[in-house]
Amino acid sequence: MALLKSNKVIHCLGNISPALGALSSRNSSWWGGVQMGPPDPILGVTEAFKRDTNPKKMNLGVGAYRDDQGKPFVLSCVRKAEALIAAKQLDKEYLPIGGLGEFTKACAQLALGPDSEVLKSGRSITVQTISGTGSLRIGGNYLARFHAGPHDVYLPKPSWGNHTPIFRDAGMQLKAYRYYDPSTCGFDFKGALDDITKIPEKSVIVLHACAHNPTGVDPRPEQWKEIADIVKKRNLLVFFDMAYQGFASGDIDRDAWAVRHFIEAGHNIVLSQSFAKNMGLYGERVGGFTVVCSDAEEAKRVESQLKILIRPIYSNPPLNGARIASTILSTPELRSIWLEEVHGMANRIIKMREQLVAGLKQQGSSHNWQHVIDQIGMFCFTGLKPEQVERLTKEFSVYMTKDGRISMAGVTSGNVGYLAEAIHAVTK
Amino acid sequence: MSVFCEVPQGAPVAVFKLTQDFNNDQFPNKVNLGVGAYRTDEGKPWVLPVVKKVEKIIVHDDRLNHEYLPILGLPEFRSSSSKIVLGDDSPAIREDRVGGVQCLGGTGALKIGAEFLRRFYNGNNNTKTPVYVSAPTWENHNAVFSSAGFEDVRPYKYWDAQKRGLDLSGFLRDLESCPERSIFVLHACAHNPTGTDPTQEQWKQIAEVMMRRKLFVFFDSAYQGFASGNLEKDAWAVRYFVSMGIEMFCAQSFSKNFGLYNERVGNLTIVARDADNLKRVLSQMEKIVRTTWSNPPSQGARVVAVTLSSPELFSEWKDNVKTMADRVLLMRAQLKAKLQALGTPGTWDHITDQIGMFSFTGLNAKQVEYMVKEKHIYLMASGRINMCGLTSKNIDYVAESIHEAVTKVQ
């Protein structure tokens, strides 16, 4: 009763003074103690971009592919698949917890290759997940519950910003191994090997299968081989994150090379896949989580546990995107169109990289911009310093994240010249 | 030596195992009264005509693409969903203190709500706050809250097996004696699995105790419109609680009332004291969503948003919902009539007193086993049947089988 009375008093006082009013509302709410969550850094970039009135403004924060007109691109194989699906007049019954069977099969085959011994022997399980994030989260939850080794997940330095909170919320601890060398804007191969050699046995190591996010720096095949060796010697559990298969080099097999090599080298990996970028299915949330096991019997047990993890989160996954993806992958005509289109997307990115470097040379830049071409995938770690990034934003309305990362997807033949001008201006 | 060699085989989810067994059964007159999905009188799934219409609109709209939705979901979906449960004229909405988080089905909404409560309710990261779920309740409620980290998930009295109705005094006693600030999961309507809802007067009593004892209200609304055929009627309890000034969560599912089961369409409606509290809550919800699924799937939410925002389509949807609700009511009436005509021992009023998709028949485990094994009629071990599984073609067989089970098996 006293509490109610004092609330009334505070409320009346609140009518006199806003500050006291705020006190009243916080005291009488369950949520008075809830702090405002920190703003998302990347979202902040987009917000600021939207507010900018400069007609030449460029949003290089966006993590979604854009065509040469700067517009979102719906793949024609996706539209065709949608039409095929619509004609079938299917029902909307719940999917199984593990997802659409045709999808998980095609998803695994895409990653591991059609001739995979793993698939032939049935010693893996793939569940449909809520795109890459959902896959990583289920993976993290699975490891937190069942991994017999240390619950330390080693991420490359740097890694995708969301990796850390995902694994943390899943109940794992985060550690890092050297990866990016800022002095070369390339791969710190020696640093990586040195660090990996010291990782305690049975820890979990996250590897970006291709098109490393955020740096765009990937190991070369010979380097991957050495990494696979060291990881084997250290007996680490490999967690591959493959969000860009096909999108990196334009070739799905080439982009999956590392994953397949590790498996051939005897690693029983776990793997997250996303179809957000390579099929442009971002908002449909299409992904897969795969566990390669010793044998089919173990795979069955693992599957049963994955289902138990999934059920209390969202019961079963959404159908629409998975059906589109599976239709594309298993309809020969659509599959070839898809391969062409993903090749086209990758090519446009590669071309923009080349044009940006050519543009910088043309501007008279004396810096070495080779890394812009050597890096691969959607993102480029320019090597720009925070002060330079700030100038780019303030003086040229070019928006990117403070770490100097740009999304090549935001670059078009129409604006690459301007970008070269702007970067030269802040770096000369 | 595999890292996973120690992983034990997990038990399958009962209701899905039931459907699996049903599917494998070769008996020609088998009946599936298990999983909770609507079926037509031909025993087929039903894609709502309005949904078919809207999906065509969407697929032909070249302006639409597959870009990411915002973390909290499609804005038009969130606001129209909250409106649907709270009412267009809801003062809470007018006062800007209602927010929505688009989630993956009702399950997803419960999950995000549970994760938030574990982090921010009753202190920070207080995993010891008791969470009460009805006895019995949907079998996944327990797992959602315990997997969100709550250590103490307990039953509150609800179903009185003796009188086959609500154990109101037991329920109220639990509300009076539980620790303050306990979280209670309430079924907004069409209680799953019993089909037994409190009356309006009973809801008023429940609300009074919950307010007085500072208990947290978490509504689970999976059947709005589907229970009585009337959206407002099915939302009465939620709206009453809001009108009493209670801050709460309401997990909404559009799986059944839109028939969008596999598109995973849900909304977590948050009713806060004021806009400032709401803003901070939503900012933290974003963090939780970001590490769970980043942003929700767009297809199903679009269908719902387009439907709810067009007066014509909205009206058509209400008709479709009424069609489903009416068929269920008809099956209830007919099943009861047939059991009475057969002279099946016991009273069968509960079949028509209960509401929604499910009925707690009162059959015991042995009788259920008889139904499944001998009669190839698949229902949950609890005696729960899905009324939607009944059709004009199988209702006689089911009624006769229930009669047999009750008379032959004790």
Side-chain angles (χ1 to χ4, degrees):
Chain A
M1 273 320 276
L3 183 61
L4 279 172
K5 275 201 182 131
S6 64
N7 267 349
K8 268 208 178 115
V9 171
I10 292 173
H11 187 73
C12 289
L13 286 173
N15 290 332
I16 305 167
S17 159
L20 288 173
L23 178 63
S24 154
S25 86
R26 279 191 184 228
N27 274 354
S28 60
S29 166
W30 289 124
W31 315 127
V34 174
Q35 301 303 317
M36 191 69 190
D40 185 287
I42 296 180
L43 214 69
V45 169
T46 298
E47 301 291 288
F49 168 81
K50 282 190 190 144
R51 285 193 298 265
D52 194 324
T53 52
N54 183 346
K56 286 190 161 170
K57 64 181 180 178
M58 289 177 69
N59 186 357
L60 300 182
V62 74
Y65 180 79
R66 294 284 175 266
D67 64 17
D68 202 47
Q69 273 67 52
K71 298 264 174 290
F73 174 52
V74 178
L75 279 65
S76 77
C77 62
V78 167
R79 288 216 194 279
K80 287 184 162 69
E82 286 175 314
L84 278 179
I85 292 164
K88 286 199 182 137
Q89 302 273 314
L90 300 162
D91 65 41
K92 299 202 161 293
E93 294 299 286
Y94 287 124
L95 281 179
I97 299 175
L100 183 67
E102 307 139 36
F103 168 73
T104 54
K105 195 154 165 244
C107 174
Q109 223 179 55
L110 179 67
L112 306 191
D115 299 320
S116 162
E117 158 276 317
V118 165
L119 295 179
K120 288 199 175 89
S121 67
R123 67 180 181 94
S124 67
I125 173 64
T126 299
V127 290
Q128 180 187 338
T129 56
I130 316 301
S131 205
T133 301
S135 176
L136 290 161
R137 181 54 181 273
I138 293 299
N141 283 352
Y142 175 76
L143 294 176
R145 198 174 268 187
F146 294 106
H147 183 53
H151 283 194
D152 292 317
V153 173
Y154 284 77
L155 295 176
K157 224 188 305 196
S159 194
W160 180 43
N162 209 16
H163 273 147
T164 294
I166 289 172
F167 283 111
R168 186 173 290 145
D169 280 0
M172 303 293 281
Q173 273 96 254
L174 279 312
K175 294 214 157 60
Y177 59 92
R178 273 173 287 168
Y179 189 86
Y180 178 71
D181 185 347
S183 64
T184 60
C185 293
F187 184 35
D188 182 1
F189 184 42
K190 185 173 179 311
L193 288 183
D194 276 351
D195 283 354
I196 294 174
T197 306
K198 299 193 180 77
I199 297 179
E201 266 213 2
K202 297 202 182 165
S203 304
V204 180
I205 182 169
V206 169
L207 301 170
H208 295 221
C210 63
H212 180 271
N213 178 1
T215 68
V217 170
D218 286 348
R220 289 191 305 273
E222 324 81 79
Q223 294 172 325
W224 272 127
K225 284 181 176 161
E226 276 198 60
I227 295 169
D229 279 343
I230 301 279
V231 167
K232 194 79 175 300
K233 286 199 178 74
R234 298 303 304 149
N235 194 15
L236 307 178
L237 174 56
V238 174
F239 197 142
F240 264 112
D241 184 356
M242 184 154 69
Y244 299 98
Q245 187 185 5
F247 197 93
S249 70
D251 181 320
I252 50 164
D253 295 310
R254 197 160 145 197
D255 289 348
W257 185 86
V259 170
R260 296 175 191 180
H261 172 76
F262 270 67
I263 291 176
E264 272 158 41
H267 295 268
N268 283 354
I269 65 166
V270 301
L271 165 69
S272 284
Q273 289 170 263
S274 166
F275 290 84
K277 285 85 172 170
N278 61 9
M279 282 193 180
L281 290 174
Y282 307 93
E284 302 295 339
R285 320 309 293 129
V286 193
F289 178 67
T290 297
V291 182
V292 177
C293 305
S294 328
D295 54 46
E297 188 271 335
E298 183 176 285
K300 280 262 157 286
R301 280 184 281 117
V302 170
E303 178 185 16
S304 70
Q305 295 298 346
L306 289 172
K307 295 203 287 204
I308 290 175
L309 284 166
I310 291 171
R311 174 87 169 138
I313 304 176
Y314 53 85
S315 276
N316 40 72
L319 171 71
N320 196 49
R323 181 145 271 146
I324 293 171
S326 121
T327 301
I328 291 171
L329 292 173
S330 10
T331 309
E333 190 209 318
L334 295 185
R335 194 187 171 102
S336 8
I337 296 176
W338 174 57
L339 292 175
E340 269 173 42
E341 292 188 295
V342 84
H343 189 81
M345 290 191 285
N347 265 5
R348 194 184 89 66
I349 302 273
I350 291 168
K351 216 164 110 190
M352 289 303 101
R353 290 179 180 277
E354 288 163 1
Q355 287 190 9
L356 177 58
V357 173
L360 286 161
K361 286 203 174 104
Q362 225 174 34
Q363 291 285 326
S365 177
S366 54
H367 295 286
N368 178 358
W369 296 102
Q370 185 57 30
H371 56 280
V372 173
I373 294 180
D374 290 342
Q375 288 166 8
I376 193 169
M378 198 177 284
F379 299 111
C380 169
F381 242 33
T382 54
L384 291 169
K385 302 191 189 53
E387 322 82 73
Q388 294 168 323
V389 171
E390 203 180 334
R391 280 191 64 196
L392 271 179
T393 304
K394 288 216 159 78
E395 296 172 33
F396 296 92
S397 297
V398 173
Y399 290 82
M400 62 177 69
T401 45
K402 273 204 314 268
D403 53 9
R405 182 192 88 164
I406 61 177
S407 166
M408 295 308 300
V411 183
T412 68
S413 51
N415 64 25
V416 66
Y418 177 71
L419 180 60
E421 224 183 275
I423 292 178
H424 178 60
V426 306
T427 56
K428 61 182 175 192
Chain B
M1 186 64 171
S2 162
V3 276
F4 303 132
C5 57
E6 303 289 327
V7 173
Q9 176 76 26
V13 176
V15 68
F16 298 137
K17 171 96 183 21
L18 194 73
T19 292
Q20 204 181 1
D21 292 343
F22 168 83
N23 288 336
N24 293 337
D25 189 333
Q26 304 295 320
F27 189 73
N29 291 341
K30 62 183 181 176
V31 183
N32 187 356
L33 300 180
V35 75
Y38 179 78
R39 292 283 177 271
T40 63
D41 198 54
E42 285 74 43
K44 297 259 177 289
W46 192 50
V47 178
L48 275 58
V50 72
V51 168
K52 280 190 185 158
K53 199 181 262 185
V54 173
E55 286 193 316
K56 268 208 188 87
I57 294 174
I58 290 173
V59 96
H60 287 118
D61 189 343
D62 281 332
R63 295 165 306 165
L64 292 176
N65 51 42
H66 293 287
E67 293 296 293
Y68 288 125
L69 286 181
I71 298 174
L72 297 181
L74 187 66
E76 310 85 79
F77 169 80
R78 296 162 57 204
S79 56
S80 54
S81 298
S82 293
K83 269 208 187 108
I84 268 290
V85 68
L86 300 184
D88 271 337
D89 52 355
S90 167
I93 294 179
R94 267 205 310 275
E95 290 159 16
D96 280 330
R97 56 191 187 87
V98 172
V101 179
Q102 179 189 338
C103 295
L104 272 79
T107 306
L110 287 163
K111 166 69 172 180
I112 298 302
E115 288 284 345
F116 180 90
L117 290 173
R118 194 258 300 155
R119 285 166 173 70
F120 299 108
Y121 174 71
N122 198 20
N124 281 1
N125 209 39
N126 189 349
T127 57
K128 303 217 185 308
T129 303
V131 178
Y132 281 83
V133 299
S134 63
T137 193
W138 179 48
E139 123 287 326
N140 204 18
H141 274 150
N142 233 292
V144 169
F145 284 89
S146 57
S147 81
F150 285 103
E151 295 169 18
D152 187 357
V153 183
R154 315 175 182 180
Y156 60 86
K157 292 198 191 48
Y158 194 83
W159 170 251
D160 185 335
Q162 230 52 329
K163 67 172 212 204
R164 290 195 190 153
L166 178 68
D167 178 5
L168 180 70
S169 50
F171 188 178
L172 292 173
R173 261 199 318 275
D174 280 345
L175 289 172
E176 293 284 6
S177 63
C178 67
E180 271 200 359
R181 291 170 201 271
S182 294
I183 295 165
F184 272 74
V185 179
L186 307 174
H187 297 229
C189 68
H191 182 270
N192 176 0
T194 69
T196 298
D197 292 341
T199 61
Q200 291 185 2
E201 282 318 302
Q202 292 170 334
W203 273 124
K204 286 179 177 172
Q205 292 180 263
I206 293 163
E208 189 272 323
V209 183
M210 291 191 76
M211 282 178 72
R212 177 168 33 85
R213 302 213 62 244
K214 301 189 192 24
L215 306 175
F216 187 80
V217 176
F218 200 148
F219 269 110
D220 184 352
S221 175
Y223 300 99
Q224 188 186 1
F226 198 97
S228 70
N230 180 298
L231 293 169
E232 284 72 38
K233 196 159 164 210
D234 291 349
W236 187 88
V238 177
R239 296 177 189 188
Y240 175 75
F241 274 62
V242 172
S243 75
M244 298 307 287
I246 296 173
E247 283 185 305
M248 66 170 78
F249 287 172
C250 178
Q252 301 168 261
S253 167
F254 293 90
S255 290
K256 283 84 173 174
N257 60 13
F258 259 89
L260 286 171
Y261 307 94
N262 65 21
E263 299 293 3
R264 314 314 294 125
V265 197
N267 189 52
L268 176 68
T269 284
I270 299 150
V271 182
R273 179 72 59 225
D274 54 41
D276 180 64
N277 278 294
L278 176 71
K279 195 164 114 194
R280 283 178 284 107
V281 168
L282 287 176
S283 75
Q284 296 294 350
M285 289 283 180
E286 265 192 10
K287 302 280 164 278
I288 296 169
V289 169
R290 183 70 171 137
T291 62
T292 313
W293 53 61
S294 265
N295 42 76
S298 64
Q299 179 70 3
R302 268 187 188 152
V303 171
V304 172
V306 169
T307 305
L308 296 183
S309 57
S310 146
E312 227 176 76
L313 294 170
F314 179 56
S315 180
E316 197 180 329
W317 173 58
K318 283 195 287 189
D319 280 344
N320 289 172
V321 172
K322 190 154 188 313
T323 298
M324 292 190 285
D326 283 349
R327 194 179 98 67
V328 169
L329 289 169
L330 181 64
M331 289 298 102
R332 286 185 178 279
Q334 288 188 353
L335 180 61
K336 174 170 119 175
K338 287 186 194 294
L339 290 171
Q340 285 173 342
L342 286 168
T344 309
T347 55
W348 298 99
D349 288 334
H350 57 284
I351 302 276
T352 48
D353 289 342
Q354 288 164 9
I355 193 170
M357 202 178 275
F358 301 114
S359 176
F360 240 31
T361 53
L363 292 175
N364 65 34
K366 283 212 182 78
Q367 291 163 338
V368 169
E369 204 184 334
Y370 178 85
M371 294 284 283
V372 177
K373 292 220 159 79
E374 304 301 321
K375 309 303 295 188
H376 306 269
I377 296 174
Y378 289 76
L379 64 154
M380 300 297 287
S382 59
R384 182 191 93 167
I385 62 175
N386 177 3
M387 300 305 300
C388 301
L390 291 176
T391 69
S392 48
K393 290 190 188 59
N394 66 25
I395 193 164
D396 284 324
Y397 177 62
V398 172
E400 282 153 18
S401 304
I402 292 177
H403 182 82
E404 267 179 48
V406 170
T407 49
K408 282 188 182 170
V409 182
Q410 253 74 61

